[in-house]
């Protein structure tokens, strides 16, 4: 198990169906995860306190998921030195483009790594990769995961070749 845990913070409980993808990835790799609902707009003090104390609480990465205005990742990033990964959530008539732009267009000095709209699984994998920089066991698990993906593609390729030859 990784030394550091990951915080997964969503702006609303309606984001849970998407966010669950990140949680599942983290658990599959044996990373401790805490899941919270906090709003950049409705509970700003709570979000700031959480982020400011995240390192002392044993977190190594924060994943923040939000839709529409999607300021959560930026607010959390402004109050911590930990890496923050933003997941823009498709939750409006703009199909998540508003959340993507709000998450990715951070001002200089407040970086937020941003994955695709509803890209929770990649957020989980990116968090694992960040932790694996200092964790050889996690790095080995990631290598095994990549080999497994490679094998799956090779098996699919063989089936397709067989079907069309």
């Amino acid at each position: 198990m990784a030394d550091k845990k990951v915080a997964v913070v969503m702006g609303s409980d309606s984001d849970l169906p998407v966010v669950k993808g990140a949680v599942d990835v983290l658990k599959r790799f044996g990373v401790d995860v805490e899941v919270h609902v906090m709003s950049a707009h409705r509970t700003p003090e709570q979000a700031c306190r959480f982020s400011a104390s995240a390192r002392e609480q044993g977190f190594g990465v924060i994943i923040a998921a939000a839709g529409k205005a999607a300021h959560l990742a930026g607010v959390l990033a402004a109050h911590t030195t930990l890496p923050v990964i933003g997941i823009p959530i498709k939750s409006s008539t703009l199909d998540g483009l508003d959340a993507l732009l709000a998450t990715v267009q951070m001002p200089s000095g407040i970086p937020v790594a941003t994955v695709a709209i509803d890209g929770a699984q990649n957020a989980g994998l990116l968090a694992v990769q960040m932790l694996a920089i200092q964790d050889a066991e996690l790095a080995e698990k990631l290598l095994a995961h990549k080999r497994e993906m490679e094998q799956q593609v090779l098996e699919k390729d063989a089936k397709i070749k067989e079907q069309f030859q």
Side-chain angles (χ1 to χ4, degrees):
M1 185 149 347
D3 290 341
K4 298 287 184 181
K5 56 188 175 178
V6 174
V8 177
V9 183
M10 63 193 108
S12 169
D13 62 348
S14 64
D15 301 332
L16 184 58
V18 172
V19 169
K20 189 174 179 321
V23 174
D24 291 345
V25 167
L26 293 163
K27 287 184 176 184
R28 187 172 72 230
F29 279 90
V31 175
D32 284 340
V33 59
E34 281 188 22
V35 183
H36 298 275
V37 175
M38 292 177 206
S39 170
H41 304 106
R42 294 182 189 101
T43 60
E45 290 89 6
Q46 179 188 5
C48 293
R49 275 193 311 269
F50 177 82
S51 184
S53 65
R55 183 180 298 277
E56 291 75 30
Q57 294 179 52
F59 292 102
V61 179
I62 298 172
I63 296 174
K68 298 185 181 183
H71 294 129
L72 183 60
V75 167
L76 297 176
H79 292 91
T80 188
T81 58
L82 294 175
V84 175
I85 303 167
I87 306 171
I89 301 291
K90 180 179 177 179
S91 64
S92 74
T93 55
L94 296 177
D95 289 329
L97 183 58
D98 49 351
L100 174 64
L101 293 174
T103 305
V104 77
Q105 292 287 43
M106 293 302 300
S108 294
I110 310 295
V112 171
T114 307
V115 296
I117 297 168
D118 289 351
Q121 290 180 342
N122 272 353
L125 282 170
L126 184 55
V128 172
Q129 288 178 322
M130 289 173 173
L131 294 177
I133 292 169
Q134 298 293 323
D135 187 324
E137 183 180 338
L138 270 182
E140 284 298 319
K141 288 180 180 181
L142 281 165
L143 185 58
H145 173 71
K146 288 188 178 266
R147 287 182 179 146
E148 182 181 311
M149 287 190 304
E150 177 186 27
Q151 188 58 41
Q152 290 170 352
V153 171
L154 292 173
E155 289 170 8
K156 290 175 183 180
D157 179 56
K159 283 184 182 180
I160 293 292
K161 284 181 183 176
E162 187 177 303
Q163 181 179 348
F164 291 100
Q165 291 180 0

